[in-house]
């Protein structure tokens, strides 16, 4: 298994490659910056040409599936189109929602404002996301999101509409404050000028994906372990507040 600052391998065979993407890299070519670093290009040396079948946001980390040939690409594309794929995301948000489970079916218009954000609009496309509150920890809460459609920024926009902003979201949150241990632990006695944040990027992770294998049709599930920064944050919050989003998984 190859590891790089950009990705780690979760699985590969002759038909698919599943990678755990780092935050900050595109999964496929961007319409606004054709020369931006891309995961499929970075992994090409190891796996050959990869065919994108879905995307996750540049700033989101986690599981990305690629096809390795045209036939697999067609089969996987059809599976996504017919909603035979289940995706589970974990997000750390500001706030403490009162609900245990909820959903949003607000219609979404992609690239709906000058900042290229997705917005709620009756002229938008059908969009459905199911949410589960995994537990609160201080000023934060861990949220599980299961999008049933695949609109750009769907989870981020639906959460924002519900009054919840993902930690360090540069587009949908007015609060860009990173997660620092000094803000959480009363007994912390380090140097505030030398302290490195536990987390200073979008706290959204594509944690698990289930889909039909393009050759056999068998449903297969892949899990992307948290990246080091997100897992360090989870570990510290679990110690301080006894809330662990992975406890029941």
């Amino acid at each position: 298994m190859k590891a790089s600052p950009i990705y780690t391998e979760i699985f590969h065979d002759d038909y698919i490659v599943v990678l755990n993407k780092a935050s900050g890299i595109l999964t496929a070519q961007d319409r606004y910056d054709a020369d931006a670093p891309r995961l499929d290009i970075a992994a090409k040396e190891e796996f050959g040409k990869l065919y994108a079948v879905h995307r996750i946001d540049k700033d989101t980390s986690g599981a990305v599936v690629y096809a390795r040939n045209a036939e697999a690409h067609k089969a996987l594309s059809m599976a996504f189109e017919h909603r035979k794929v289940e995706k589970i995301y974990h997000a750390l948000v500001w706030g403490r929602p009162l609900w245990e489970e909820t959903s949003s079916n607000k219609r979404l218009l992609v690239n709906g404002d000058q900042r290229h954000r997705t917005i709620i609009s009756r002229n938008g496309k059908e969009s459905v996301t199911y949410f589960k509150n995994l537990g609160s920890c201080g000023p934060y809460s861990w949220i599980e999101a299961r999008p049933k459609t695949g609109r750009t920024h769907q989870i981020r926009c639906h959460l924002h509409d519900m009054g919840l902003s993902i930690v360090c979201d540069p587009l949908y949150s007015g609060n860009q404050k990173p997660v620092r241990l000094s803000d959480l632990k009363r007994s912390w006695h380090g140097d505030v000028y030398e302290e490195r944040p536990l987390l200073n990027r979008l706290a959204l992770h594509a944690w698990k994906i289930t889909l039909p294998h393009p050759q056999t049709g068998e449903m297969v599930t892949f899990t992307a372990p948290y990246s080091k920064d997100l897992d360090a944050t989870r570990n510290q919050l679990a110690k301080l507040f006894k809330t662990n989003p992975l406890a029941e998984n």
Side-chain angles (χ1 to χ4, degrees):
M1 178 182 295
K2 178 181 178 180
S4 78
I6 293 173
Y7 71 88
T8 56
E9 178 192 329
I10 298 174
F11 174 84
H12 82 274
D13 61 14
D14 291 338
Y15 302 91
I16 61 174
V17 171
V18 187
L19 303 177
N20 190 355
K21 181 183 86 70
S23 173
I25 187 169
L26 296 167
T27 56
Q29 186 170 347
D30 182 72
R31 72 183 71 177
Y32 305 109
D33 185 358
D35 298 322
R38 290 162 43 189
L39 180 62
D40 57 338
I41 299 301
K44 183 178 180 180
E45 180 179 351
E46 184 175 7
F47 300 106
K49 181 179 179 180
L50 298 177
Y51 298 76
V53 293
H54 73 122
R55 297 170 183 251
I56 63 175
D57 297 343
K58 173 184 175 181
D59 294 326
T60 301
S61 58
V64 181
V65 179
Y66 291 101
R68 300 193 73 181
N69 55 59
E71 293 76 14
H73 179 256
K74 181 178 179 180
L76 288 173
S77 296
M78 292 297 291
F80 276 93
E81 181 179 345
H82 293 290
R83 301 182 185 175
K84 295 181 180 179
V85 179
E86 180 181 64
K87 296 169 287 183
I88 302 176
Y89 290 73
H90 286 177
L92 184 67
V93 304
W94 292 99
R96 302 167 67 94
L98 299 178
W99 42 263
E100 293 185 4
E101 295 187 11
T102 190
S103 64
S104 176
N105 60 0
K106 297 287 186 68
R107 301 180 74 89
L108 298 180
L109 180 63
V110 175
N111 197 22
D113 66 10
Q114 292 182 342
R115 297 182 66 190
H116 306 298
R117 294 185 300 184
T118 297
I119 64 172
I120 305 294
S121 172
R122 62 184 179 183
N123 297 320
K125 293 184 178 181
E126 173 195 3
S127 306
V128 181
T129 313
Y130 296 97
F131 296 102
K132 181 179 180 181
N133 185 352
L134 300 177
S136 297
C137 36
Y140 312 109
S141 295
W142 288 104
I143 301 296
E144 176 187 283
R146 296 176 182 250
K148 295 303 178 183
T149 48
R151 313 303 174 206
T152 301
H153 297 174
Q154 177 172 318
I155 295 170
R156 297 160 73 178
C157 185
H158 274 165
L159 282 173
H160 182 258
D161 179 65
M162 296 161 58
L164 295 170
S165 296
I166 299 176
V167 170
C168 292
D169 189 334
L171 287 177
Y172 298 88
S173 174
N175 188 347
Q176 293 300 296
K177 186 177 181 180
V179 180
R180 297 180 183 274
L181 188 58
S182 59
D183 293 328
L184 300 170
K185 196 171 183 180
R186 294 180 179 178
S187 60
W188 190 84
H189 299 297
D191 186 336
V192 295
Y193 298 104
E194 297 293 332
E195 181 187 12
R196 298 181 63 181
L198 293 172
L199 188 73
N200 60 358
R201 55 89 171 178
L202 180 71
L204 180 62
H205 182 74
W207 181 64
K208 184 176 290 189
I209 188 167
T210 301
L211 46 74
H213 191 280
Q215 181 199 27
T216 66
E218 178 186 0
M219 298 302 291
V220 288
T221 298
F222 303 102
T223 301
Y226 282 14
S227 54
K228 289 184 178 180
D229 54 359
L230 191 63
D231 201 51
T233 302
R234 177 200 61 80
N235 186 52
Q236 289 295 338
L237 291 175
K239 287 180 180 179
L240 292 170
F241 302 103
K242 313 303 179 186
T243 299
N244 186 348
L246 302 182
E248 60 183 47
N249 298 301

